[in-house]
Structure formats: C-alpha cells, structure tokens
Amino acid sequence: MISLTDSQKIGMGLTGFGVFFLFFGMMLFFDKALLAIGNILFVAGLSFVIGLERTFRFFFQRHKAKATSFFLGGVFVVLIGWPIVGVVLEIYGFFLLFRGFFPVAVGFIRRIPVLGSLLSLPGIRTVKLVVNSNNIYSASRKY
C-alpha cells in the first residue's frame, strides 16, 4: 500500500473537492462561483499532492507553454466571470497537459474487471491511441 504524507492527504481531499465543485458547477449550468471554487481547490490540491516545486516545473516547461497558457488562462477567464469560455479553454489545456498520461490510464482501466470487459467489446477494442510525429494522439481503427 502506498503511504502518503499528511500534506498529500490534504491535497487529495482538496483535489477531490475541486473536481466535485467543477462537476457540480457544470451541472448547474456553469455556475461561476462553483467553477471558481473548483478551479482554486483543484490547483491547490495538485500543488499539495506533488509539491510546489514539482507543480511549478510541470506547468512551466518550455514544450508545455501552450497547454499551460490555455489551462491557466481558462482558470483566469472563469474567475473574471465568463464560465463557458473559461471551461472550454481549461478542457483544451487539460488535454494538452495530460495527453501523455491518457494511454497509461486506458491501459490501467483495461485491467479493472468490469471496465476492462467493457473496453474489450468488439467496437471499442479496435480503437487505439496512436502517436504521430508531433506527439499528437489520435484515434485509429484496426481493421
């Protein structure tokens, strides 16, 4: 079992509440206050989980500048009061930031008993993530 420090436990709670508030804010027709609270809790929780220095290094790498600007710009746009535009920018930045993690997550989900059997269905099984020369993931079908 993985042992967590107290600050990592706090970070997991903050991140979980942040995701909850973001989801709840979108369910309530992009409520500005809930989305703003969710964004602040998510970023704060992430910095508690992996540490301030690693968070800074993750977001401010040269090759992730575009993704970071979209994600943090979306957070800023939500905070100033344009929730729909901000959430769209955040989602795009999130996918750019974490695109290297998606194949790992899909591989992990394939090993979970119920979800793995769903991903093994004939129509879904043939879809694979493919990396092209620009490190952009796309869906392809194996015929």
Side-chain angles (χ1 to χ4, degrees), residues 15 42 55 64 87 89 94 99 111 126 128 139:
T15 304
F42 179 77
T55 302
K64 291 184 179 180
V87 167
L89 292 173
F94 181 83
R99 67 181 171 200
R111 286 188 243 134
T126 59
K128 294 191 177 220

Side-chain angles (χ1 to χ4, degrees), residues 14-136:
L14 288 174
T15 304
F17 277 119
V19 170
F20 170 75
F21 277 107
L22 286 170
F23 179 73
F24 198 55
M26 284 190 270
M27 293 301 295
L28 292 175
F29 302 112
F30 293 93
D31 183 57
K32 289 185 266 190
L34 291 175
L35 290 173
I37 291 170
N39 283 327
I40 291 168
L41 288 175
F42 179 77
V43 173
L46 184 66
S47 64
F48 268 91
V49 170
I50 65 174
L52 287 174
E53 181 182 344
R54 290 181 70 192
T55 302
F56 186 79
R57 278 191 285 152
F58 175 75
F59 279 109
F60 296 105
Q61 295 174 7
R62 183 174 302 278
H63 67 278
K64 291 184 179 180
K66 178 181 172 184
T68 300
S69 63
F70 273 104
F71 183 75
L72 295 179
V75 170
F76 179 73
V77 169
V78 167
L79 290 175
I80 63 172
W82 292 348
I84 296 174
V85 174
V87 167
V88 168
L89 292 173
E90 282 180 42
I91 290 171
Y92 181 65
F94 181 83
F95 281 118
L96 289 179
L97 278 171
F98 295 101
R99 67 181 171 200
F101 179 70
F102 291 133
V104 174
V106 170
F108 176 76
I109 291 171
R110 286 186 193 264
R111 286 188 243 134
I112 297 174
V114 175
L115 295 176
S117 61
L118 289 175
L119 289 176
S120 297
L121 292 173
I124 300 171
R125 179 182 58 221
T126 59
V127 176
K128 294 191 177 220
L129 290 176
V130 177
V131 181
N132 65 12
S133 62
N134 295 328
N135 289 332
I136 298 174

